[in-house]
Amino acid sequence: MATAAAVALAASAASAADGQAAISAHDLALLNRLSWGQSASSAAELQAIGARDWLDRQLRPRAADRLPDAAQAQIDALPGAQTPMAELVVQMDAQNKAAGKLTDPDQRKAAQQAYQQAMTNLGRAAATRELLRDIYSPDQLQEQMTWFWLNHFNVHMYKRDIRAMVGDYEDQAIRPRALGKFRDLLEATLKHPAMLRYLDNDQNAGGHINENYAREIMELHTMGVGSGYSQKDVQELARILTGVGVDLNPDPPKLKAAYQPLLVRSGLFEFNPNRHDFGDKVLLGHTIKGSGFGEVEQALDILAREPAAAHHISAQMAAYFMGDDPPPALVDRMAKTFLKTDGDIAATLRTLVTSREFDASLGKAFKDPMHYTVSAVRLAYDDRVILNTTPMQNWLNRMSEGLYNHETPDGYAQPAAAWSGPGQMAVRFEIARQIGSGSAGLFKPDQPAAKDAPAFPQLQNALYYKAGLDQTLAPATKSALGQAGSPQDWNTLFLSSPEFMRR
């Protein structure tokens, strides 16, 4: 029997085929949930091809999809954008060491401040790149899942030299695999220096075991708390991960002849057999013979295929898209798909999106600060590329969900209660006023003496009247909008409405 969501998707496709211009309230809600927020252009695309084909395209993005030229040009001009990550990290390390060697206190202080500012600029550049992609990329579901996995495999950019790495971590390790196989994503994060720095595995060596990363792989990244693994399993995984680290030295380490074939290097990633514990290990009942980096591959295979991992990841994805307490039966079906497809993220999402439970939840999930901020700017300036994301970054920091800025490995909280308190809502209302009343600094280039280009969002547009966005509002909201004394007040009220706070 077809689910309600599947029937609605099929009906929308038939409507598009018949050339009907109307977009249903269901399809608007679907668009709002699976994208970073409704916009006129995304609604037009969904209308043109139908919801079923739109969903297929979102689940399997096309290689040819690209950002608007104005957005891509900004990204290409960002600090560090034209320098490979490994080279950039080495350059910044050299700058830091040179600053520390200066003997004059004032010169040393100035050089160290310059280093910190350069590192901060790299972190801001990564955030700018993400926000521009979130607003303007045609691959909206991929961008949402990129943020989801960034939170799942969290790193804190202000630890050590991660600010020089975090943009590459997102672009090279996570985004290309955000809708692929979980096992591939797990290994890509493991091999990235940002993760190894953040969870100290570059300090994990035979005889000097550091369990930080091994514990978080099991507790957060795969199986979840209380899923059946023991402290002994954590210890054994930590032993497996000895020698997995980061090396900025362009020359390989000196190894005895027997170890030379076991060295693994790629960019800054290094598996150094000199630092590895070659004893046999037992992980979750599986014996892993000491062999080198192959032990890590075996461990990841075991963890990625654990039923507990399938359930843990499915539950997190369901909560991310549906809100608090997703139905256990749906999570079980997602986990079954995850295991059947060997961790295919897109297939697992399809089980979620085409379910009755998902259909019933549309419009009810409370937006976290990231979703609120991006959806507001996306709706306001869908047809015009903003010139400065700094206001957005500041808003996110004020709402305590700054990009790459969560200190602990668990990532930002998902429950609505974490983001719906009075203080949080007061900041949202202020953001609504800033966006609704003018450009809010979004069109003032981040350059000395730059002037703010004139801009004013037209929220009462074709999406509102012709595409039916107005029909999704409650009578009380329509009444409040009808009493607005100016376009600025109307915009502010709309962006402050209960309906806009949910997706």
Side-chain angles (χ1 to χ4, degrees):
M1 180 181 295
T3 66
V7 169
L9 288 172
S12 176
S15 173
D18 291 340
Q20 298 177 11
I23 182 169
S24 69
H26 172 276
D27 286 356
L28 275 174
L30 182 74
L31 175 65
N32 200 33
R33 176 69 63 80
L34 296 183
S35 72
W36 277 106
Q38 299 154 329
S39 69
S41 63
S42 59
E45 180 191 11
L46 190 151
Q47 281 183 287
I49 64 176
R52 182 183 295 279
D53 287 346
W54 181 84
L55 176 60
D56 289 343
R57 186 175 292 182
Q58 291 297 312
L59 286 169
R60 302 296 184 193
R62 301 166 300 180
D65 287 347
R66 48 181 287 121
L67 294 173
D69 290 344
Q72 189 61 53
Q74 287 185 59
I75 290 174
D76 292 342
L78 289 170
Q82 306 305 320
T83 306
M85 185 267 293
E87 182 181 337
L88 186 64
V89 172
V90 170
Q91 288 177 359
M92 297 309 301
D93 182 66
Q95 181 179 345
N96 187 35
K97 288 178 178 177
K101 291 179 180 178
L102 294 173
T103 56
D104 181 271
D106 292 336
Q107 290 181 350
R108 184 169 61 249
K109 180 179 179 180
Q112 289 173 337
Q113 288 176 338
Y115 165 77
Q116 290 295 337
Q117 185 60 56
M119 290 290 280
T120 296
N121 290 343
L122 292 173
R124 288 176 179 170
T128 292
R129 183 162 50 245
E130 177 175 343
L131 290 170
L132 287 174
R133 293 188 66 94
D134 290 343
I135 300 168
Y136 299 110
S137 172
D139 302 323
Q140 284 288 293
L141 184 56
Q142 182 184 41
E143 294 305 321
Q144 277 215 69
M145 288 306 295
T146 297
W147 192 90
F148 170 83
W149 291 122
L150 275 169
N151 203 46
H152 183 88
F153 295 105
N154 183 58
V155 300
H156 184 227
M157 72 173 175
Y158 289 106
K159 183 172 182 177
R160 299 171 70 182
D161 54 354
I162 293 176
R163 280 171 289 178
M165 302 174 176
V166 71
D168 185 87
Y169 178 63
E170 177 178 357
D171 281 350
Q172 300 302 318
I174 293 180
R175 179 174 286 106
R177 300 168 183 84
L179 291 167
K181 291 296 185 76
F182 176 76
R183 167 64 176 77
D184 297 337
L185 177 60
L186 180 63
E187 181 166 351
T189 58
L190 179 143
K191 286 184 173 180
H192 201 281
M195 178 60 75
L196 297 172
R197 286 279 209 239
Y198 175 59
L199 289 176
D200 305 316
N201 206 79
D202 57 345
Q203 301 172 29
N204 184 21
H208 300 278
I209 300 295
N210 188 306
E211 298 178 5
N212 287 358
Y213 186 30
R215 178 173 293 105
E216 303 309 347
I217 285 179
M218 302 194 78
E219 180 176 312
L220 298 174
H221 299 170
T222 58
M223 295 178 65
V225 178
S227 57
Y229 66 86
S230 66
Q231 173 61 20
K232 180 64 175 176
D233 289 315
V234 173
Q235 293 169 346
E236 294 291 87
L237 182 56
R239 290 179 60 214
I240 291 169
L241 291 172
T242 52
V244 174
V246 179
D247 190 357
L248 275 59
N249 190 334
D251 299 321
K254 294 181 179 180
L255 304 170
K256 60 185 180 181
Y259 279 179
Q260 288 175 4
L262 301 179
L263 175 68
V264 180
R265 299 189 104 206
S266 178
L268 300 180
F269 170 80
E270 179 180 82
F271 172 74
N272 185 341
N274 280 339
R275 297 169 55 81
H276 184 62
D277 176 348
F278 277 92
D280 294 346
K281 296 93 177 172
V282 179
L283 178 66
L284 298 171
H286 300 266
T287 298
I288 297 179
K289 296 289 185 179
S291 61
F293 189 73
E295 299 171 44
V296 179
E297 300 279 10
Q298 293 177 61
L300 296 184
D301 287 342
I302 292 167
L303 290 167
R305 290 165 182 153
E306 270 288 315
H311 190 274
H312 176 62
I313 294 159
S314 296
Q316 287 202 325
M317 287 198 292
Y320 175 72
F321 281 104
M322 295 178 64
D324 301 352
D325 303 318
L330 173 58
V331 173
D332 289 344
R333 297 200 304 274
M334 292 172 65
K336 184 177 180 180
T337 299
F338 187 96
L339 291 170
K340 181 180 179 181
T341 61
D342 197 23
D344 189 308
I345 298 165
T348 305
L349 282 174
R350 189 181 292 277
T351 297
L352 168 68
V353 174
T354 58
S355 69
R356 291 187 181 90
E357 297 94 330
F358 182 86
D359 190 57
S361 75
L362 292 175
K364 298 178 182 178
F366 190 80
K367 294 178 181 177
D368 65 350
M370 183 71 173
H371 276 94
Y372 177 78
T373 300
V374 175
S375 63
V377 176
R378 184 169 156 79
L379 180 63
Y381 295 111
D382 171 52
D383 59 344
R384 184 177 178 186
V385 176
I386 64 172
L387 303 179
N388 190 351
T389 68
T390 300
M392 298 179 70
Q393 295 182 47
N394 292 339
W395 296 332
L396 290 168
N397 287 329
R398 287 185 61 192
M399 291 186 286
S400 302
E401 201 178 21
L403 290 168
Y404 326 118
N405 204 18
H406 190 72
E407 293 188 23
T408 54
D410 53 347
Y412 287 113
Q414 293 190 6
W419 310 114
S420 57
Q424 282 275 341
M425 298 309 294
V427 176
R428 292 194 187 202
F429 297 152
E430 182 180 338
I431 294 170
R433 179 188 58 76
Q434 291 182 37
I435 296 175
S437 299
S439 68
L442 298 169
F443 290 90
K444 183 178 181 180
D446 192 10
Q447 302 167 357
K451 294 184 178 180
D452 199 351
F456 184 76
Q458 297 292 337
L459 303 187
Q460 290 175 290
N461 54 23
L463 177 64
Y464 183 77
Y465 288 115
K466 295 182 181 179
L469 185 57
D470 62 325
Q471 299 305 310
T472 66
L473 304 179
T477 300
K478 288 185 177 181
S479 176
L481 292 172
Q483 298 175 44
S486 67
Q488 291 87 340
D489 288 346
W490 194 99
N491 289 341
T492 301
L493 288 170
F494 182 83
L495 296 176
S496 303
S497 67
E499 291 86 352
F500 194 77
M501 296 295 169
R502 299 187 177 275
R503 60 189 183 101

mmCIF file of all heavy atoms in Angstrom, residues 104-135:
data_model
loop_
_atom_site.group_PDB
_atom_site.id
_atom_site.type_symbol
_atom_site.label_atom_id
_atom_site.label_comp_id
_atom_site.label_asym_id
_atom_site.label_seq_id
_atom_site.Cartn_x
_atom_site.Cartn_y
_atom_site.Cartn_z
ATOM 1 N N ASP A 104 62.155 40.331 20.740
ATOM 2 C CA ASP A 104 61.547 41.578 21.203
ATOM 3 C C ASP A 104 60.093 41.308 21.610
ATOM 4 O O ASP A 104 59.308 40.820 20.784
ATOM 5 C CB ASP A 104 61.600 42.632 20.092
ATOM 6 C CG ASP A 104 61.011 43.947 20.545
ATOM 7 O OD1 ASP A 104 59.784 44.122 20.373
ATOM 8 O OD2 ASP A 104 61.756 44.794 21.064
ATOM 9 N N PRO A 105 59.701 41.615 22.848
ATOM 10 C CA PRO A 105 58.346 41.293 23.319
ATOM 11 C C PRO A 105 57.244 41.929 22.480
ATOM 12 O O PRO A 105 56.239 41.276 22.179
ATOM 13 C CB PRO A 105 58.332 41.831 24.757
ATOM 14 C CG PRO A 105 59.765 41.867 25.159
ATOM 15 C CD PRO A 105 60.532 42.193 23.923
ATOM 16 N N ASP A 106 57.423 43.184 22.116
ATOM 17 C CA ASP A 106 56.385 43.856 21.340
ATOM 18 C C ASP A 106 56.260 43.259 19.940
ATOM 19 O O ASP A 106 55.151 43.061 19.430
ATOM 20 C CB ASP A 106 56.689 45.351 21.239
ATOM 21 C CG ASP A 106 56.554 46.058 22.577
ATOM 22 O OD1 ASP A 106 55.813 45.548 23.443
ATOM 23 O OD2 ASP A 106 57.192 47.117 22.758
ATOM 24 N N GLN A 107 57.414 42.969 19.325
ATOM 25 C CA GLN A 107 57.373 42.366 17.997
ATOM 26 C C GLN A 107 56.753 40.968 18.058
ATOM 27 O O GLN A 107 55.973 40.583 17.174
ATOM 28 C CB GLN A 107 58.789 42.289 17.421
ATOM 29 C CG GLN A 107 59.380 43.641 17.041
ATOM 30 C CD GLN A 107 60.780 43.491 16.451
ATOM 31 O OE1 GLN A 107 61.372 42.422 16.498
ATOM 32 N NE2 GLN A 107 61.293 44.589 15.886
ATOM 33 N N ARG A 108 57.110 40.208 19.100
ATOM 34 C CA ARG A 108 56.557 38.863 19.241
ATOM 35 C C ARG A 108 55.036 38.917 19.435
ATOM 36 O O ARG A 108 54.291 38.150 18.822
ATOM 37 C CB ARG A 108 57.208 38.129 20.409
ATOM 38 C CG ARG A 108 56.730 36.675 20.534
ATOM 39 C CD ARG A 108 57.566 35.882 21.526
ATOM 40 N NE ARG A 108 57.497 36.441 22.872
ATOM 41 C CZ ARG A 108 58.510 37.036 23.486
ATOM 42 N NH1 ARG A 108 59.675 37.178 22.870
ATOM 43 N NH2 ARG A 108 58.360 37.497 24.715
ATOM 44 N N LYS A 109 54.596 39.859 20.267
ATOM 45 C CA LYS A 109 53.163 39.995 20.504
ATOM 46 C C LYS A 109 52.426 40.370 19.223
ATOM 47 O O LYS A 109 51.371 39.802 18.894
ATOM 48 C CB LYS A 109 52.905 41.050 21.578
ATOM 49 C CG LYS A 109 51.428 41.260 21.897
ATOM 50 C CD LYS A 109 51.247 42.315 22.985
ATOM 51 C CE LYS A 109 49.768 42.537 23.275
ATOM 52 N NZ LYS A 109 49.560 43.575 24.334
ATOM 53 N N ALA A 110 52.970 41.314 18.468
ATOM 54 C CA ALA A 110 52.333 41.742 17.213
ATOM 55 C C ALA A 110 52.301 40.602 16.202
ATOM 56 O O ALA A 110 51.292 40.395 15.509
ATOM 57 C CB ALA A 110 53.076 42.946 16.635
ATOM 58 N N ALA A 111 53.388 39.834 16.132
ATOM 59 C CA ALA A 111 53.442 38.717 15.179
ATOM 60 C C ALA A 111 52.468 37.617 15.580
ATOM 61 O O ALA A 111 51.819 37.001 14.715
ATOM 62 C CB ALA A 111 54.855 38.172 15.109
ATOM 63 N N GLN A 112 52.346 37.372 16.874
ATOM 64 C CA GLN A 112 51.406 36.350 17.334
ATOM 65 C C GLN A 112 49.960 36.788 17.107
ATOM 66 O O GLN A 112 49.100 35.969 16.753
ATOM 67 C CB GLN A 112 51.652 36.047 18.812
ATOM 68 C CG GLN A 112 52.951 35.290 19.051
ATOM 69 C CD GLN A 112 53.299 35.139 20.515
ATOM 70 O OE1 GLN A 112 52.846 35.930 21.375
ATOM 71 N NE2 GLN A 112 54.116 34.148 20.841
ATOM 72 N N GLN A 113 49.688 38.072 17.278
ATOM 73 C CA GLN A 113 48.350 38.587 16.998
ATOM 74 C C GLN A 113 48.030 38.487 15.511
ATOM 75 O O GLN A 113 46.901 38.150 15.135
ATOM 76 C CB GLN A 113 48.234 40.041 17.474
ATOM 77 C CG GLN A 113 48.193 40.191 18.988
ATOM 78 C CD GLN A 113 48.174 41.648 19.429
ATOM 79 O OE1 GLN A 113 48.583 42.546 18.673
ATOM 80 N NE2 GLN A 113 47.703 41.889 20.639
ATOM 81 N N ALA A 114 49.029 38.757 14.671
ATOM 82 C CA ALA A 114 48.825 38.640 13.225
ATOM 83 C C ALA A 114 48.530 37.193 12.839
ATOM 84 O O ALA A 114 47.681 36.925 11.976
ATOM 85 C CB ALA A 114 50.066 39.146 12.483
ATOM 86 N N TYR A 115 49.231 36.267 13.475
ATOM 87 C CA TYR A 115 48.979 34.839 13.218
ATOM 88 C C TYR A 115 47.548 34.465 13.615
ATOM 89 O O TYR A 115 46.827 33.812 12.848
ATOM 90 C CB TYR A 115 49.979 33.987 13.987
ATOM 91 C CG TYR A 115 49.586 32.533 14.086
ATOM 92 C CD1 TYR A 115 49.745 31.665 13.008
ATOM 93 C CD2 TYR A 115 49.037 32.030 15.267
ATOM 94 C CE1 TYR A 115 49.376 30.333 13.100
ATOM 95 C CE2 TYR A 115 48.654 30.697 15.365
ATOM 96 C CZ TYR A 115 48.831 29.853 14.284
ATOM 97 O OH TYR A 115 48.445 28.533 14.368
ATOM 98 N N GLN A 116 47.138 34.884 14.808
ATOM 99 C CA GLN A 116 45.789 34.550 15.272
ATOM 100 C C GLN A 116 44.726 35.162 14.365
ATOM 101 O O GLN A 116 43.698 34.535 14.078
ATOM 102 C CB GLN A 116 45.596 35.023 16.716
ATOM 103 C CG GLN A 116 46.392 34.231 17.745
ATOM 104 C CD GLN A 116 45.956 32.779 17.838
ATOM 105 O OE1 GLN A 116 44.832 32.423 17.490
ATOM 106 N NE2 GLN A 116 46.850 31.925 18.321
ATOM 107 N N GLN A 117 44.972 36.382 13.897
ATOM 108 C CA GLN A 117 44.003 37.023 13.001
ATOM 109 C C GLN A 117 43.916 36.279 11.675
ATOM 110 O O GLN A 117 42.828 36.089 11.121
ATOM 111 C CB GLN A 117 44.382 38.481 12.760
ATOM 112 C CG GLN A 117 43.357 39.261 11.934
ATOM 113 C CD GLN A 117 41.993 39.285 12.593
ATOM 114 O OE1 GLN A 117 41.852 39.713 13.743
ATOM 115 N NE2 GLN A 117 40.961 38.822 11.876
ATOM 116 N N ALA A 118 45.058 35.851 11.160
ATOM 117 C CA ALA A 118 45.064 35.092 9.907
ATOM 118 C C ALA A 118 44.316 33.771 10.066
ATOM 119 O O ALA A 118 43.568 33.353 9.172
ATOM 120 C CB ALA A 118 46.493 34.844 9.448
ATOM 121 N N MET A 119 44.485 33.117 11.204
ATOM 122 C CA MET A 119 43.770 31.864 11.464
ATOM 123 C C MET A 119 42.268 32.103 11.588
ATOM 124 O O MET A 119 41.450 31.342 11.050
ATOM 125 C CB MET A 119 44.306 31.221 12.743
ATOM 126 C CG MET A 119 45.714 30.673 12.610
ATOM 127 S SD MET A 119 45.803 29.207 11.550
ATOM 128 C CE MET A 119 45.259 27.943 12.688
ATOM 129 N N THR A 120 41.915 33.188 12.277
ATOM 130 C CA THR A 120 40.493 33.528 12.412
ATOM 131 C C THR A 120 39.876 33.823 11.053
ATOM 132 O O THR A 120 38.740 33.423 10.767
ATOM 133 C CB THR A 120 40.321 34.727 13.353
ATOM 134 O OG1 THR A 120 40.765 34.354 14.667
ATOM 135 C CG2 THR A 120 38.865 35.172 13.424
ATOM 136 N N ASN A 121 40.625 34.504 10.189
ATOM 137 C CA ASN A 121 40.128 34.790 8.842
ATOM 138 C C ASN A 121 39.865 33.498 8.060
ATOM 139 O O ASN A 121 38.912 33.427 7.277
ATOM 140 C CB ASN A 121 41.126 35.664 8.081
ATOM 141 C CG ASN A 121 41.195 37.079 8.624
ATOM 142 O OD1 ASN A 121 40.307 37.529 9.346
ATOM 143 N ND2 ASN A 121 42.260 37.794 8.293
ATOM 144 N N LEU A 122 40.683 32.484 8.275
ATOM 145 C CA LEU A 122 40.470 31.204 7.599
ATOM 146 C C LEU A 122 39.205 30.524 8.111
ATOM 147 O O LEU A 122 38.447 29.928 7.333
ATOM 148 C CB LEU A 122 41.685 30.295 7.800
ATOM 149 C CG LEU A 122 42.974 30.728 7.098
ATOM 150 C CD1 LEU A 122 44.136 29.835 7.513
ATOM 151 C CD2 LEU A 122 42.785 30.687 5.575
ATOM 152 N N GLY A 123 38.959 30.621 9.415
ATOM 153 C CA GLY A 123 37.723 30.065 9.961
ATOM 154 C C GLY A 123 36.496 30.781 9.437
ATOM 155 O O GLY A 123 35.487 30.152 9.100
ATOM 156 N N ARG A 124 36.580 32.101 9.355
ATOM 157 C CA ARG A 124 35.454 32.882 8.827
ATOM 158 C C ARG A 124 35.233 32.588 7.342
ATOM 159 O O ARG A 124 34.090 32.566 6.864
ATOM 160 C CB ARG A 124 35.722 34.366 9.036
ATOM 161 C CG ARG A 124 35.617 34.818 10.490
ATOM 162 C CD ARG A 124 36.001 36.279 10.634
ATOM 163 N NE ARG A 124 35.882 36.739 12.019
ATOM 164 C CZ ARG A 124 36.336 37.904 12.461
ATOM 165 N NH1 ARG A 124 36.950 38.731 11.611
ATOM 166 N NH2 ARG A 124 36.191 38.240 13.733
ATOM 167 N N ALA A 125 36.320 32.367 6.622
ATOM 168 C CA ALA A 125 36.196 32.036 5.200
ATOM 169 C C ALA A 125 35.452 30.723 5.023
ATOM 170 O O ALA A 125 34.605 30.589 4.128
ATOM 171 C CB ALA A 125 37.578 31.955 4.556
ATOM 172 N N ALA A 126 35.753 29.740 5.876
ATOM 173 C CA ALA A 126 35.042 28.462 5.800
ATOM 174 C C ALA A 126 33.555 28.658 6.071
ATOM 175 O O ALA A 126 32.699 28.074 5.392
ATOM 176 C CB ALA A 126 35.640 27.473 6.798
ATOM 177 N N ALA A 127 33.222 29.491 7.065
ATOM 178 C CA ALA A 127 31.822 29.758 7.381
ATOM 179 C C ALA A 127 31.128 30.486 6.235
ATOM 180 O O ALA A 127 29.968 30.194 5.904
ATOM 181 C CB ALA A 127 31.726 30.579 8.665
ATOM 182 N N THR A 128 31.816 31.429 5.618
ATOM 183 C CA THR A 128 31.251 32.138 4.466
ATOM 184 C C THR A 128 30.938 31.169 3.345
ATOM 185 O O THR A 128 29.857 31.228 2.724
ATOM 186 C CB THR A 128 32.240 33.209 3.967
ATOM 187 O OG1 THR A 128 32.347 34.241 4.949
ATOM 188 C CG2 THR A 128 31.794 33.815 2.648
ATOM 189 N N ARG A 129 31.863 30.278 3.060
ATOM 190 C CA ARG A 129 31.655 29.306 1.995
ATOM 191 C C ARG A 129 30.424 28.438 2.290
ATOM 192 O O ARG A 129 29.593 28.201 1.419
ATOM 193 C CB ARG A 129 32.909 28.435 1.847
ATOM 194 C CG ARG A 129 32.843 27.424 0.728
ATOM 195 C CD ARG A 129 34.216 26.915 0.348
ATOM 196 N NE ARG A 129 34.993 26.467 1.501
ATOM 197 C CZ ARG A 129 36.115 27.048 1.913
ATOM 198 N NH1 ARG A 129 36.614 28.077 1.265
ATOM 199 N NH2 ARG A 129 36.769 26.579 2.955
ATOM 200 N N GLU A 130 30.315 27.986 3.542
ATOM 201 C CA GLU A 130 29.162 27.146 3.872
ATOM 202 C C GLU A 130 27.847 27.910 3.726
ATOM 203 O O GLU A 130 26.878 27.408 3.152
ATOM 204 C CB GLU A 130 29.264 26.587 5.283
ATOM 205 C CG GLU A 130 28.017 25.777 5.630
ATOM 206 C CD GLU A 130 28.073 25.087 6.972
ATOM 207 O OE1 GLU A 130 29.168 24.937 7.537
ATOM 208 O OE2 GLU A 130 27.004 24.692 7.450
ATOM 209 N N LEU A 131 27.794 29.129 4.243
ATOM 210 C CA LEU A 131 26.537 29.877 4.217
ATOM 211 C C LEU A 131 26.115 30.216 2.783
ATOM 212 O O LEU A 131 24.928 30.138 2.445
ATOM 213 C CB LEU A 131 26.666 31.141 5.059
ATOM 214 C CG LEU A 131 26.758 30.885 6.572
ATOM 215 C CD1 LEU A 131 27.142 32.158 7.317
ATOM 216 C CD2 LEU A 131 25.447 30.323 7.108
ATOM 217 N N LEU A 132 27.052 30.590 1.936
ATOM 218 C CA LEU A 132 26.697 30.874 0.540
ATOM 219 C C LEU A 132 26.167 29.630 -0.147
ATOM 220 O O LEU A 132 25.214 29.697 -0.935
ATOM 221 C CB LEU A 132 27.907 31.430 -0.206
ATOM 222 C CG LEU A 132 28.316 32.865 0.134
ATOM 223 C CD1 LEU A 132 29.621 33.235 -0.557
ATOM 224 C CD2 LEU A 132 27.204 33.853 -0.264
ATOM 225 N N ARG A 133 26.747 28.485 0.149
ATOM 226 C CA ARG A 133 26.252 27.245 -0.440
ATOM 227 C C ARG A 133 24.862 26.910 0.101
ATOM 228 O O ARG A 133 23.983 26.471 -0.644
ATOM 229 C CB ARG A 133 27.226 26.097 -0.169
ATOM 230 C CG ARG A 133 28.569 26.238 -0.883
ATOM 231 C CD ARG A 133 29.391 24.974 -0.723
ATOM 232 N NE ARG A 133 28.752 23.862 -1.420
ATOM 233 C CZ ARG A 133 29.033 23.494 -2.663
ATOM 234 N NH1 ARG A 133 29.943 24.160 -3.356
ATOM 235 N NH2 ARG A 133 28.405 22.477 -3.213
ATOM 236 N N ASP A 134 24.657 27.100 1.398
ATOM 237 C CA ASP A 134 23.357 26.803 1.992
ATOM 238 C C ASP A 134 22.254 27.652 1.376
ATOM 239 O O ASP A 134 21.140 27.181 1.152
ATOM 240 C CB ASP A 134 23.400 27.029 3.503
ATOM 241 C CG ASP A 134 24.254 26.001 4.225
ATOM 242 O OD1 ASP A 134 24.538 24.945 3.634
ATOM 243 O OD2 ASP A 134 24.632 26.256 5.379
ATOM 244 N N ILE A 135 22.558 28.917 1.113
ATOM 245 C CA ILE A 135 21.532 29.814 0.573
ATOM 246 C C ILE A 135 21.267 29.542 -0.900
ATOM 247 O O ILE A 135 20.111 29.489 -1.338
ATOM 248 C CB ILE A 135 21.954 31.287 0.750
ATOM 249 C CG1 ILE A 135 22.156 31.627 2.225
ATOM 250 C CG2 ILE A 135 20.890 32.230 0.159
ATOM 251 C CD1 ILE A 135 22.848 32.962 2.454
#
